[in-house]
Amino acid sequence: PNQLKAKNTGRLKANGRLIIQGTSSNDIVFTSINGANPAKGDWYGLWIENGYLKMNGATIKYAGENVFGGASAGLVLENSTAIIENSAFENNKNSAIYMSGSNLTLNTVSFIGNDTALSSPDWPTGSAITSSNLTFQGNSATSSPIGIF
């Protein structure tokens, strides 16, 4: 796989359009730089603000480091639209996906070993989710005050 490795304060932030296109034989992995000993929360994660994300054939793992004054997750969506297909979220601290004021479509996505799969403080009134063919395995929390699943 193609890998993008981040340090403990690393994150990929987009204020606009981000397209991530992997394939079944060559997926894109966003992960910790600590290859031999990765841990949940090793880096901040992907952050989409006032934008659009199309992610297909990708994995986000070992993200979710606590951000001072912000959300913590493998993927943070703020006032954005995201379509995620054929992808995975693995071993992320806090939430695999955190969303606020956003619209999210999930199709054939797995959530494995995360603290919480998806959280949103304004769901269902401020954020919307459409989903199909989701897999959940070994996530720590099954519910929280703002957890959806």
Side-chain angles (χ1 to χ4, degrees), residues 55 60 72-77 82 84 89 92-99 104 106 109 111 114 116-120 149:
M55 186 168 100
I60 298 173
S72 301
L75 171 63
V76 174
L77 300 170
I84 302 172
F89 293 85
N92 292 291
K93 184 177 177 182
N94 297 306
S95 290
I97 301 173
Y98 173 93
M99 59 187 284
L104 174 62
L106 300 168
V109 176
F111 297 89
N114 304 288
T116 300
L118 177 64
S119 61
S120 176
F149 29 69

mmCIF file with all atom_site columns, all heavy atoms in Angstrom, residues 55 60 72-77 82 84 89 92-99 104 106 109 111 114 116-120 149:
data_model
loop_
_atom_site.group_PDB
_atom_site.id
_atom_site.type_symbol
_atom_site.label_atom_id
_atom_site.label_alt_id
_atom_site.label_comp_id
_atom_site.label_asym_id
_atom_site.label_entity_id
_atom_site.label_seq_id
_atom_site.pdbx_PDB_ins_code
_atom_site.Cartn_x
_atom_site.Cartn_y
_atom_site.Cartn_z
_atom_site.occupancy
_atom_site.B_iso_or_equiv
_atom_site.pdbx_formal_charge
_atom_site.auth_seq_id
_atom_site.auth_comp_id
_atom_site.auth_asym_id
_atom_site.auth_atom_id
_atom_site.pdbx_PDB_model_num
ATOM 1   N N   . MET A 1 55  ? -13.370 9.697  -0.344 1.00 0.00 ? 55  MET A N   1
ATOM 2   C CA  . MET A 1 55  ? -12.334 8.745  0.048  1.00 0.00 ? 55  MET A CA  1
ATOM 3   C C   . MET A 1 55  ? -12.763 7.349  -0.362 1.00 0.00 ? 55  MET A C   1
ATOM 4   O O   . MET A 1 55  ? -13.827 6.880  0.023  1.00 0.00 ? 55  MET A O   1
ATOM 5   C CB  . MET A 1 55  ? -12.106 8.816  1.564  1.00 0.00 ? 55  MET A CB  1
ATOM 6   C CG  . MET A 1 55  ? -10.955 7.972  2.048  1.00 0.00 ? 55  MET A CG  1
ATOM 7   S SD  . MET A 1 55  ? -10.523 8.353  3.774  1.00 0.00 ? 55  MET A SD  1
ATOM 8   C CE  . MET A 1 55  ? -11.334 7.010  4.614  1.00 0.00 ? 55  MET A CE  1
ATOM 9   N N   . ILE A 1 60  ? -7.437  4.787  7.649  1.00 0.00 ? 60  ILE A N   1
ATOM 10  C CA  . ILE A 1 60  ? -6.906  5.750  8.607  1.00 0.00 ? 60  ILE A CA  1
ATOM 11  C C   . ILE A 1 60  ? -6.723  5.000  9.913  1.00 0.00 ? 60  ILE A C   1
ATOM 12  O O   . ILE A 1 60  ? -7.681  4.414  10.438 1.00 0.00 ? 60  ILE A O   1
ATOM 13  C CB  . ILE A 1 60  ? -7.850  6.943  8.809  1.00 0.00 ? 60  ILE A CB  1
ATOM 14  C CG1 . ILE A 1 60  ? -8.032  7.710  7.487  1.00 0.00 ? 60  ILE A CG1 1
ATOM 15  C CG2 . ILE A 1 60  ? -7.330  7.869  9.901  1.00 0.00 ? 60  ILE A CG2 1
ATOM 16  C CD1 . ILE A 1 60  ? -9.075  8.814  7.545  1.00 0.00 ? 60  ILE A CD1 1
ATOM 17  N N   . SER A 1 72  ? -11.198 15.379 18.421 1.00 0.00 ? 72  SER A N   1
ATOM 18  C CA  . SER A 1 72  ? -10.136 14.386 18.294 1.00 0.00 ? 72  SER A CA  1
ATOM 19  C C   . SER A 1 72  ? -10.697 13.131 17.652 1.00 0.00 ? 72  SER A C   1
ATOM 20  O O   . SER A 1 72  ? -11.606 12.506 18.186 1.00 0.00 ? 72  SER A O   1
ATOM 21  C CB  . SER A 1 72  ? -9.568  14.047 19.674 1.00 0.00 ? 72  SER A CB  1
ATOM 22  O OG  . SER A 1 72  ? -9.057  15.189 20.298 1.00 0.00 ? 72  SER A OG  1
ATOM 23  N N   . ALA A 1 73  ? -10.143 12.761 16.489 1.00 0.00 ? 73  ALA A N   1
ATOM 24  C CA  . ALA A 1 73  ? -10.626 11.588 15.769 1.00 0.00 ? 73  ALA A CA  1
ATOM 25  C C   . ALA A 1 73  ? -9.673  11.263 14.627 1.00 0.00 ? 73  ALA A C   1
ATOM 26  O O   . ALA A 1 73  ? -8.829  12.081 14.255 1.00 0.00 ? 73  ALA A O   1
ATOM 27  C CB  . ALA A 1 73  ? -12.028 11.845 15.207 1.00 0.00 ? 73  ALA A CB  1
ATOM 28  N N   . GLY A 1 74  ? -9.846  10.090 14.058 1.00 0.00 ? 74  GLY A N   1
ATOM 29  C CA  . GLY A 1 74  ? -9.098  9.746  12.861 1.00 0.00 ? 74  GLY A CA  1
ATOM 30  C C   . GLY A 1 74  ? -9.459  10.669 11.711 1.00 0.00 ? 74  GLY A C   1
ATOM 31  O O   . GLY A 1 74  ? -8.612  11.087 10.934 1.00 0.00 ? 74  GLY A O   1
ATOM 32  N N   . LEU A 1 75  ? -10.746 11.013 11.627 1.00 0.00 ? 75  LEU A N   1
ATOM 33  C CA  . LEU A 1 75  ? -11.251 11.944 10.621 1.00 0.00 ? 75  LEU A CA  1
ATOM 34  C C   . LEU A 1 75  ? -12.207 12.914 11.293 1.00 0.00 ? 75  LEU A C   1
ATOM 35  O O   . LEU A 1 75  ? -13.187 12.484 11.915 1.00 0.00 ? 75  LEU A O   1
ATOM 36  C CB  . LEU A 1 75  ? -11.979 11.195 9.496  1.00 0.00 ? 75  LEU A CB  1
ATOM 37  C CG  . LEU A 1 75  ? -12.737 12.053 8.482  1.00 0.00 ? 75  LEU A CG  1
ATOM 38  C CD1 . LEU A 1 75  ? -11.787 12.964 7.706  1.00 0.00 ? 75  LEU A CD1 1
ATOM 39  C CD2 . LEU A 1 75  ? -13.540 11.178 7.539  1.00 0.00 ? 75  LEU A CD2 1
ATOM 40  N N   . VAL A 1 76  ? -11.935 14.204 11.175 1.00 0.00 ? 76  VAL A N   1
ATOM 41  C CA  . VAL A 1 76  ? -12.815 15.242 11.703 1.00 0.00 ? 76  VAL A CA  1
ATOM 42  C C   . VAL A 1 76  ? -13.464 15.949 10.521 1.00 0.00 ? 76  VAL A C   1
ATOM 43  O O   . VAL A 1 76  ? -12.775 16.409 9.607  1.00 0.00 ? 76  VAL A O   1
ATOM 44  C CB  . VAL A 1 76  ? -12.037 16.262 12.572 1.00 0.00 ? 76  VAL A CB  1
ATOM 45  C CG1 . VAL A 1 76  ? -12.944 17.415 12.991 1.00 0.00 ? 76  VAL A CG1 1
ATOM 46  C CG2 . VAL A 1 76  ? -11.434 15.576 13.787 1.00 0.00 ? 76  VAL A CG2 1
ATOM 47  N N   . LEU A 1 77  ? -14.793 16.038 10.556 1.00 0.00 ? 77  LEU A N   1
ATOM 48  C CA  . LEU A 1 77  ? -15.561 16.750 9.532  1.00 0.00 ? 77  LEU A CA  1
ATOM 49  C C   . LEU A 1 77  ? -16.284 17.908 10.201 1.00 0.00 ? 77  LEU A C   1
ATOM 50  O O   . LEU A 1 77  ? -17.104 17.696 11.095 1.00 0.00 ? 77  LEU A O   1
ATOM 51  C CB  . LEU A 1 77  ? -16.595 15.831 8.885  1.00 0.00 ? 77  LEU A CB  1
ATOM 52  C CG  . LEU A 1 77  ? -16.073 14.593 8.169  1.00 0.00 ? 77  LEU A CG  1
ATOM 53  C CD1 . LEU A 1 77  ? -17.230 13.674 7.792  1.00 0.00 ? 77  LEU A CD1 1
ATOM 54  C CD2 . LEU A 1 77  ? -15.282 14.997 6.936  1.00 0.00 ? 77  LEU A CD2 1
ATOM 55  N N   . ALA A 1 82  ? -18.890 14.445 3.080  1.00 0.00 ? 82  ALA A N   1
ATOM 56  C CA  . ALA A 1 82  ? -17.915 13.382 2.829  1.00 0.00 ? 82  ALA A CA  1
ATOM 57  C C   . ALA A 1 82  ? -18.611 12.140 2.295  1.00 0.00 ? 82  ALA A C   1
ATOM 58  O O   . ALA A 1 82  ? -19.694 11.772 2.756  1.00 0.00 ? 82  ALA A O   1
ATOM 59  C CB  . ALA A 1 82  ? -17.149 13.044 4.095  1.00 0.00 ? 82  ALA A CB  1
ATOM 60  N N   . ILE A 1 84  ? -17.426 8.230  1.798  1.00 0.00 ? 84  ILE A N   1
ATOM 61  C CA  . ILE A 1 84  ? -16.356 7.281  2.113  1.00 0.00 ? 84  ILE A CA  1
ATOM 62  C C   . ILE A 1 84  ? -16.807 5.891  1.696  1.00 0.00 ? 84  ILE A C   1
ATOM 63  O O   . ILE A 1 84  ? -17.858 5.414  2.135  1.00 0.00 ? 84  ILE A O   1
ATOM 64  C CB  . ILE A 1 84  ? -16.013 7.322  3.611  1.00 0.00 ? 84  ILE A CB  1
ATOM 65  C CG1 . ILE A 1 84  ? -15.586 8.744  4.006  1.00 0.00 ? 84  ILE A CG1 1
ATOM 66  C CG2 . ILE A 1 84  ? -14.927 6.300  3.948  1.00 0.00 ? 84  ILE A CG2 1
ATOM 67  C CD1 . ILE A 1 84  ? -15.417 8.957  5.487  1.00 0.00 ? 84  ILE A CD1 1
ATOM 68  N N   . PHE A 1 89  ? -11.268 2.259  9.206  1.00 0.00 ? 89  PHE A N   1
ATOM 69  C CA  . PHE A 1 89  ? -10.759 3.063  10.315 1.00 0.00 ? 89  PHE A CA  1
ATOM 70  C C   . PHE A 1 89  ? -10.326 2.072  11.383 1.00 0.00 ? 89  PHE A C   1
ATOM 71  O O   . PHE A 1 89  ? -11.137 1.297  11.880 1.00 0.00 ? 89  PHE A O   1
ATOM 72  C CB  . PHE A 1 89  ? -11.847 4.001  10.852 1.00 0.00 ? 89  PHE A CB  1
ATOM 73  C CG  . PHE A 1 89  ? -12.239 5.057  9.873  1.00 0.00 ? 89  PHE A CG  1
ATOM 74  C CD1 . PHE A 1 89  ? -13.190 4.800  8.889  1.00 0.00 ? 89  PHE A CD1 1
ATOM 75  C CD2 . PHE A 1 89  ? -11.649 6.309  9.913  1.00 0.00 ? 89  PHE A CD2 1
ATOM 76  C CE1 . PHE A 1 89  ? -13.545 5.776  7.966  1.00 0.00 ? 89  PHE A CE1 1
ATOM 77  C CE2 . PHE A 1 89  ? -12.002 7.288  8.991  1.00 0.00 ? 89  PHE A CE2 1
ATOM 78  C CZ  . PHE A 1 89  ? -12.943 7.020  8.024  1.00 0.00 ? 89  PHE A CZ  1
ATOM 79  N N   . ASN A 1 92  ? -8.100  3.891  16.207 1.00 0.00 ? 92  ASN A N   1
ATOM 80  C CA  . ASN A 1 92  ? -8.073  5.332  16.427 1.00 0.00 ? 92  ASN A CA  1
ATOM 81  C C   . ASN A 1 92  ? -8.550  5.656  17.835 1.00 0.00 ? 92  ASN A C   1
ATOM 82  O O   . ASN A 1 92  ? -9.475  5.037  18.353 1.00 0.00 ? 92  ASN A O   1
ATOM 83  C CB  . ASN A 1 92  ? -8.947  6.042  15.392 1.00 0.00 ? 92  ASN A CB  1
ATOM 84  C CG  . ASN A 1 92  ? -8.358  5.927  14.009 1.00 0.00 ? 92  ASN A CG  1
ATOM 85  O OD1 . ASN A 1 92  ? -7.324  6.506  13.728 1.00 0.00 ? 92  ASN A OD1 1
ATOM 86  N ND2 . ASN A 1 92  ? -9.000  5.157  13.144 1.00 0.00 ? 92  ASN A ND2 1
ATOM 87  N N   . LYS A 1 93  ? -7.909  6.653  18.444 1.00 0.00 ? 93  LYS A N   1
ATOM 88  C CA  . LYS A 1 93  ? -8.266  7.119  19.782 1.00 0.00 ? 93  LYS A CA  1
ATOM 89  C C   . LYS A 1 93  ? -9.478  8.038  19.682 1.00 0.00 ? 93  LYS A C   1
ATOM 90  O O   . LYS A 1 93  ? -9.669  8.713  18.677 1.00 0.00 ? 93  LYS A O   1
ATOM 91  C CB  . LYS A 1 93  ? -7.070  7.873  20.374 1.00 0.00 ? 93  LYS A CB  1
ATOM 92  C CG  . LYS A 1 93  ? -7.236  8.330  21.793 1.00 0.00 ? 93  LYS A CG  1
ATOM 93  C CD  . LYS A 1 93  ? -5.941  8.995  22.247 1.00 0.00 ? 93  LYS A CD  1
ATOM 94  C CE  . LYS A 1 93  ? -6.074  9.532  23.646 1.00 0.00 ? 93  LYS A CE  1
ATOM 95  N NZ  . LYS A 1 93  ? -4.823  10.203 24.046 1.00 0.00 ? 93  LYS A NZ  1
ATOM 96  N N   . ASN A 1 94  ? -10.263 8.077  20.713 1.00 0.00 ? 94  ASN A N   1
ATOM 97  C CA  . ASN A 1 94  ? -11.481 8.883  20.792 1.00 0.00 ? 94  ASN A CA  1
ATOM 98  C C   . ASN A 1 94  ? -12.496 8.380  19.770 1.00 0.00 ? 94  ASN A C   1
ATOM 99  O O   . ASN A 1 94  ? -13.171 7.405  20.032 1.00 0.00 ? 94  ASN A O   1
ATOM 100 C CB  . ASN A 1 94  ? -11.172 10.375 20.664 1.00 0.00 ? 94  ASN A CB  1
ATOM 101 C CG  . ASN A 1 94  ? -10.298 10.861 21.801 1.00 0.00 ? 94  ASN A CG  1
ATOM 102 O OD1 . ASN A 1 94  ? -10.643 10.673 22.959 1.00 0.00 ? 94  ASN A OD1 1
ATOM 103 N ND2 . ASN A 1 94  ? -9.158  11.442 21.490 1.00 0.00 ? 94  ASN A ND2 1
ATOM 104 N N   . SER A 1 95  ? -12.615 8.966  18.612 1.00 0.00 ? 95  SER A N   1
ATOM 105 C CA  . SER A 1 95  ? -13.551 8.489  17.584 1.00 0.00 ? 95  SER A CA  1
ATOM 106 C C   . SER A 1 95  ? -12.811 8.206  16.288 1.00 0.00 ? 95  SER A C   1
ATOM 107 O O   . SER A 1 95  ? -11.836 8.879  15.968 1.00 0.00 ? 95  SER A O   1
ATOM 108 C CB  . SER A 1 95  ? -14.623 9.537  17.294 1.00 0.00 ? 95  SER A CB  1
ATOM 109 O OG  . SER A 1 95  ? -15.500 9.678  18.376 1.00 0.00 ? 95  SER A OG  1
ATOM 110 N N   . ALA A 1 96  ? -13.305 7.246  15.546 1.00 0.00 ? 96  ALA A N   1
ATOM 111 C CA  . ALA A 1 96  ? -12.779 7.045  14.194 1.00 0.00 ? 96  ALA A CA  1
ATOM 112 C C   . ALA A 1 96  ? -13.173 8.252  13.347 1.00 0.00 ? 96  ALA A C   1
ATOM 113 O O   . ALA A 1 96  ? -12.352 8.829  12.645 1.00 0.00 ? 96  ALA A O   1
ATOM 114 C CB  . ALA A 1 96  ? -13.321 5.759  13.594 1.00 0.00 ? 96  ALA A CB  1
ATOM 115 N N   . ILE A 1 97  ? -14.464 8.643  13.453 1.00 0.00 ? 97  ILE A N   1
ATOM 116 C CA  . ILE A 1 97  ? -14.979 9.822  12.737 1.00 0.00 ? 97  ILE A CA  1
ATOM 117 C C   . ILE A 1 97  ? -15.720 10.709 13.732 1.00 0.00 ? 97  ILE A C   1
ATOM 118 O O   . ILE A 1 97  ? -16.558 10.233 14.493 1.00 0.00 ? 97  ILE A O   1
ATOM 119 C CB  . ILE A 1 97  ? -15.939 9.433  11.599 1.00 0.00 ? 97  ILE A CB  1
ATOM 120 C CG1 . ILE A 1 97  ? -15.258 8.524  10.583 1.00 0.00 ? 97  ILE A CG1 1
ATOM 121 C CG2 . ILE A 1 97  ? -16.504 10.683 10.916 1.00 0.00 ? 97  ILE A CG2 1
ATOM 122 C CD1 . ILE A 1 97  ? -16.207 7.960  9.531  1.00 0.00 ? 97  ILE A CD1 1
ATOM 123 N N   . TYR A 1 98  ? -15.420 11.994 13.700 1.00 0.00 ? 98  TYR A N   1
ATOM 124 C CA  . TYR A 1 98  ? -16.145 13.005 14.464 1.00 0.00 ? 98  TYR A CA  1
ATOM 125 C C   . TYR A 1 98  ? -16.710 13.986 13.452 1.00 0.00 ? 98  TYR A C   1
ATOM 126 O O   . TYR A 1 98  ? -15.988 14.453 12.570 1.00 0.00 ? 98  TYR A O   1
ATOM 127 C CB  . TYR A 1 98  ? -15.213 13.732 15.432 1.00 0.00 ? 98  TYR A CB  1
ATOM 128 C CG  . TYR A 1 98  ? -15.866 14.899 16.125 1.00 0.00 ? 98  TYR A CG  1
ATOM 129 C CD1 . TYR A 1 98  ? -16.474 14.741 17.359 1.00 0.00 ? 98  TYR A CD1 1
ATOM 130 C CD2 . TYR A 1 98  ? -15.874 16.166 15.543 1.00 0.00 ? 98  TYR A CD2 1
ATOM 131 C CE1 . TYR A 1 98  ? -17.083 15.807 17.998 1.00 0.00 ? 98  TYR A CE1 1
ATOM 132 C CE2 . TYR A 1 98  ? -16.481 17.243 16.164 1.00 0.00 ? 98  TYR A CE2 1
ATOM 133 C CZ  . TYR A 1 98  ? -17.085 17.058 17.399 1.00 0.00 ? 98  TYR A CZ  1
ATOM 134 O OH  . TYR A 1 98  ? -17.694 18.123 18.024 1.00 0.00 ? 98  TYR A OH  1
ATOM 135 N N   . MET A 1 99  ? -18.001 14.306 13.582 1.00 0.00 ? 99  MET A N   1
ATOM 136 C CA  . MET A 1 99  ? -18.596 15.238 12.624 1.00 0.00 ? 99  MET A CA  1
ATOM 137 C C   . MET A 1 99  ? -19.491 16.244 13.307 1.00 0.00 ? 99  MET A C   1
ATOM 138 O O   . MET A 1 99  ? -20.165 15.933 14.290 1.00 0.00 ? 99  MET A O   1
ATOM 139 C CB  . MET A 1 99  ? -19.361 14.480 11.544 1.00 0.00 ? 99  MET A CB  1
ATOM 140 C CG  . MET A 1 99  ? -20.473 13.597 12.056 1.00 0.00 ? 99  MET A CG  1
ATOM 141 S SD  . MET A 1 99  ? -21.213 12.577 10.777 1.00 0.00 ? 99  MET A SD  1
ATOM 142 C CE  . MET A 1 99  ? -22.207 13.759 9.919  1.00 0.00 ? 99  MET A CE  1
ATOM 143 N N   . LEU A 1 104 ? -22.567 12.933 5.785  1.00 0.00 ? 104 LEU A N   1
ATOM 144 C CA  . LEU A 1 104 ? -21.638 11.826 5.611  1.00 0.00 ? 104 LEU A CA  1
ATOM 145 C C   . LEU A 1 104 ? -22.345 10.646 4.967  1.00 0.00 ? 104 LEU A C   1
ATOM 146 O O   . LEU A 1 104 ? -23.419 10.242 5.400  1.00 0.00 ? 104 LEU A O   1
ATOM 147 C CB  . LEU A 1 104 ? -21.078 11.411 6.972  1.00 0.00 ? 104 LEU A CB  1
ATOM 148 C CG  . LEU A 1 104 ? -20.187 10.184 7.055  1.00 0.00 ? 104 LEU A CG  1
ATOM 149 C CD1 . LEU A 1 104 ? -18.925 10.376 6.223  1.00 0.00 ? 104 LEU A CD1 1
ATOM 150 C CD2 . LEU A 1 104 ? -19.835 9.892  8.511  1.00 0.00 ? 104 LEU A CD2 1
ATOM 151 N N   . LEU A 1 106 ? -21.490 6.656  4.028  1.00 0.00 ? 106 LEU A N   1
ATOM 152 C CA  . LEU A 1 106 ? -20.568 5.542  4.238  1.00 0.00 ? 106 LEU A CA  1
ATOM 153 C C   . LEU A 1 106 ? -21.076 4.328  3.477  1.00 0.00 ? 106 LEU A C   1
ATOM 154 O O   . LEU A 1 106 ? -22.234 3.954  3.623  1.00 0.00 ? 106 LEU A O   1
ATOM 155 C CB  . LEU A 1 106 ? -20.492 5.182  5.729  1.00 0.00 ? 106 LEU A CB  1
ATOM 156 C CG  . LEU A 1 106 ? -20.020 6.260  6.688  1.00 0.00 ? 106 LEU A CG  1
ATOM 157 C CD1 . LEU A 1 106 ? -20.278 5.839  8.133  1.00 0.00 ? 106 LEU A CD1 1
ATOM 158 C CD2 . LEU A 1 106 ? -18.550 6.542  6.474  1.00 0.00 ? 106 LEU A CD2 1
ATOM 159 N N   . VAL A 1 109 ? -17.612 0.224  4.698  1.00 0.00 ? 109 VAL A N   1
ATOM 160 C CA  . VAL A 1 109 ? -16.591 0.794  5.575  1.00 0.00 ? 109 VAL A CA  1
ATOM 161 C C   . VAL A 1 109 ? -16.514 -0.059 6.839  1.00 0.00 ? 109 VAL A C   1
ATOM 162 O O   . VAL A 1 109 ? -17.541 -0.456 7.391  1.00 0.00 ? 109 VAL A O   1
ATOM 163 C CB  . VAL A 1 109 ? -16.927 2.257  5.937  1.00 0.00 ? 109 VAL A CB  1
ATOM 164 C CG1 . VAL A 1 109 ? -15.917 2.836  6.918  1.00 0.00 ? 109 VAL A CG1 1
ATOM 165 C CG2 . VAL A 1 109 ? -16.999 3.115  4.675  1.00 0.00 ? 109 VAL A CG2 1
ATOM 166 N N   . PHE A 1 111 ? -14.946 -0.471 10.850 1.00 0.00 ? 111 PHE A N   1
ATOM 167 C CA  . PHE A 1 111 ? -14.465 0.208  12.044 1.00 0.00 ? 111 PHE A CA  1
ATOM 168 C C   . PHE A 1 111 ? -13.913 -0.866 12.968 1.00 0.00 ? 111 PHE A C   1
ATOM 169 O O   . PHE A 1 111 ? -14.675 -1.660 13.521 1.00 0.00 ? 111 PHE A O   1
ATOM 170 C CB  . PHE A 1 111 ? -15.611 0.963  12.727 1.00 0.00 ? 111 PHE A CB  1
ATOM 171 C CG  . PHE A 1 111 ? -16.195 2.066  11.880 1.00 0.00 ? 111 PHE A CG  1
ATOM 172 C CD1 . PHE A 1 111 ? -17.245 1.803  11.013 1.00 0.00 ? 111 PHE A CD1 1
ATOM 173 C CD2 . PHE A 1 111 ? -15.687 3.346  11.952 1.00 0.00 ? 111 PHE A CD2 1
ATOM 174 C CE1 . PHE A 1 111 ? -17.794 2.818  10.236 1.00 0.00 ? 111 PHE A CE1 1
ATOM 175 C CE2 . PHE A 1 111 ? -16.235 4.371  11.168 1.00 0.00 ? 111 PHE A CE2 1
ATOM 176 C CZ  . PHE A 1 111 ? -17.280 4.102  10.316 1.00 0.00 ? 111 PHE A CZ  1
ATOM 177 N N   . ASN A 1 114 ? -11.342 0.830  17.330 1.00 0.00 ? 114 ASN A N   1
ATOM 178 C CA  . ASN A 1 114 ? -11.379 2.253  17.687 1.00 0.00 ? 114 ASN A CA  1
ATOM 179 C C   . ASN A 1 114 ? -12.008 2.419  19.071 1.00 0.00 ? 114 ASN A C   1
ATOM 180 O O   . ASN A 1 114 ? -12.692 1.527  19.564 1.00 0.00 ? 114 ASN A O   1
ATOM 181 C CB  . ASN A 1 114 ? -12.210 3.027  16.664 1.00 0.00 ? 114 ASN A CB  1
ATOM 182 C CG  . ASN A 1 114 ? -11.690 2.840  15.260 1.00 0.00 ? 114 ASN A CG  1
ATOM 183 O OD1 . ASN A 1 114 ? -10.652 3.352  14.901 1.00 0.00 ? 114 ASN A OD1 1
ATOM 184 N ND2 . ASN A 1 114 ? -12.413 2.077  14.445 1.00 0.00 ? 114 ASN A ND2 1
ATOM 185 N N   . THR A 1 116 ? -14.407 4.806  19.732 1.00 0.00 ? 116 THR A N   1
ATOM 186 C CA  . THR A 1 116 ? -15.790 4.928  19.271 1.00 0.00 ? 116 THR A CA  1
ATOM 187 C C   . THR A 1 116 ? -15.748 5.019  17.751 1.00 0.00 ? 116 THR A C   1
ATOM 188 O O   . THR A 1 116 ? -14.833 5.635  17.198 1.00 0.00 ? 116 THR A O   1
ATOM 189 C CB  . THR A 1 116 ? -16.458 6.211  19.831 1.00 0.00 ? 116 THR A CB  1
ATOM 190 O OG1 . THR A 1 116 ? -16.442 6.151  21.250 1.00 0.00 ? 116 THR A OG1 1
ATOM 191 C CG2 . THR A 1 116 ? -17.883 6.358  19.369 1.00 0.00 ? 116 THR A CG2 1
ATOM 192 N N   . ALA A 1 117 ? -16.700 4.426  17.083 1.00 0.00 ? 117 ALA A N   1
ATOM 193 C CA  . ALA A 1 117 ? -16.698 4.456  15.625 1.00 0.00 ? 117 ALA A CA  1
ATOM 194 C C   . ALA A 1 117 ? -17.040 5.843  15.088 1.00 0.00 ? 117 ALA A C   1
ATOM 195 O O   . ALA A 1 117 ? -16.326 6.384  14.254 1.00 0.00 ? 117 ALA A O   1
ATOM 196 C CB  . ALA A 1 117 ? -17.666 3.415  15.069 1.00 0.00 ? 117 ALA A CB  1
ATOM 197 N N   . LEU A 1 118 ? -18.134 6.434  15.575 1.00 0.00 ? 118 LEU A N   1
ATOM 198 C CA  . LEU A 1 118 ? -18.603 7.697  15.017 1.00 0.00 ? 118 LEU A CA  1
ATOM 199 C C   . LEU A 1 118 ? -19.272 8.513  16.104 1.00 0.00 ? 118 LEU A C   1
ATOM 200 O O   . LEU A 1 118 ? -20.096 7.993  16.851 1.00 0.00 ? 118 LEU A O   1
ATOM 201 C CB  . LEU A 1 118 ? -19.600 7.423  13.887 1.00 0.00 ? 118 LEU A CB  1
ATOM 202 C CG  . LEU A 1 118 ? -20.270 8.598  13.211 1.00 0.00 ? 118 LEU A CG  1
ATOM 203 C CD1 . LEU A 1 118 ? -19.257 9.472  12.493 1.00 0.00 ? 118 LEU A CD1 1
ATOM 204 C CD2 . LEU A 1 118 ? -21.314 8.114  12.222 1.00 0.00 ? 118 LEU A CD2 1
ATOM 205 N N   . SER A 1 119 ? -18.910 9.783  16.191 1.00 0.00 ? 119 SER A N   1
ATOM 206 C CA  . SER A 1 119 ? -19.566 10.653 17.161 1.00 0.00 ? 119 SER A CA  1
ATOM 207 C C   . SER A 1 119 ? -19.909 11.990 16.514 1.00 0.00 ? 119 SER A C   1
ATOM 208 O O   . SER A 1 119 ? -19.237 12.440 15.590 1.00 0.00 ? 119 SER A O   1
ATOM 209 C CB  . SER A 1 119 ? -18.686 10.871 18.395 1.00 0.00 ? 119 SER A CB  1
ATOM 210 O OG  . SER A 1 119 ? -17.473 11.481 18.055 1.00 0.00 ? 119 SER A OG  1
ATOM 211 N N   . SER A 1 120 ? -20.996 12.578 17.019 1.00 0.00 ? 120 SER A N   1
ATOM 212 C CA  . SER A 1 120 ? -21.453 13.851 16.500 1.00 0.00 ? 120 SER A CA  1
ATOM 213 C C   . SER A 1 120 ? -22.311 14.538 17.555 1.00 0.00 ? 120 SER A C   1
ATOM 214 O O   . SER A 1 120 ? -23.342 13.996 17.953 1.00 0.00 ? 120 SER A O   1
ATOM 215 C CB  . SER A 1 120 ? -22.280 13.646 15.226 1.00 0.00 ? 120 SER A CB  1
ATOM 216 O OG  . SER A 1 120 ? -22.803 14.870 14.769 1.00 0.00 ? 120 SER A OG  1
ATOM 217 N N   . PHE A 1 149 ? -22.457 5.291  16.880 1.00 0.00 ? 149 PHE A N   1
ATOM 218 C CA  . PHE A 1 149 ? -22.119 3.872  16.927 1.00 0.00 ? 149 PHE A CA  1
ATOM 219 C C   . PHE A 1 149 ? -20.631 3.704  17.054 1.00 0.00 ? 149 PHE A C   1
ATOM 220 O O   . PHE A 1 149 ? -19.883 4.618  17.024 1.00 0.00 ? 149 PHE A O   1
ATOM 221 C CB  . PHE A 1 149 ? -22.626 3.043  15.761 1.00 0.00 ? 149 PHE A CB  1
ATOM 222 C CG  . PHE A 1 149 ? -22.800 3.709  14.433 1.00 0.00 ? 149 PHE A CG  1
ATOM 223 C CD1 . PHE A 1 149 ? -21.724 4.136  13.694 1.00 0.00 ? 149 PHE A CD1 1
ATOM 224 C CD2 . PHE A 1 149 ? -24.062 3.903  13.916 1.00 0.00 ? 149 PHE A CD2 1
ATOM 225 C CE1 . PHE A 1 149 ? -21.897 4.707  12.457 1.00 0.00 ? 149 PHE A CE1 1
ATOM 226 C CE2 . PHE A 1 149 ? -24.240 4.474  12.675 1.00 0.00 ? 149 PHE A CE2 1
ATOM 227 C CZ  . PHE A 1 149 ? -23.160 4.880  11.943 1.00 0.00 ? 149 PHE A CZ  1
#
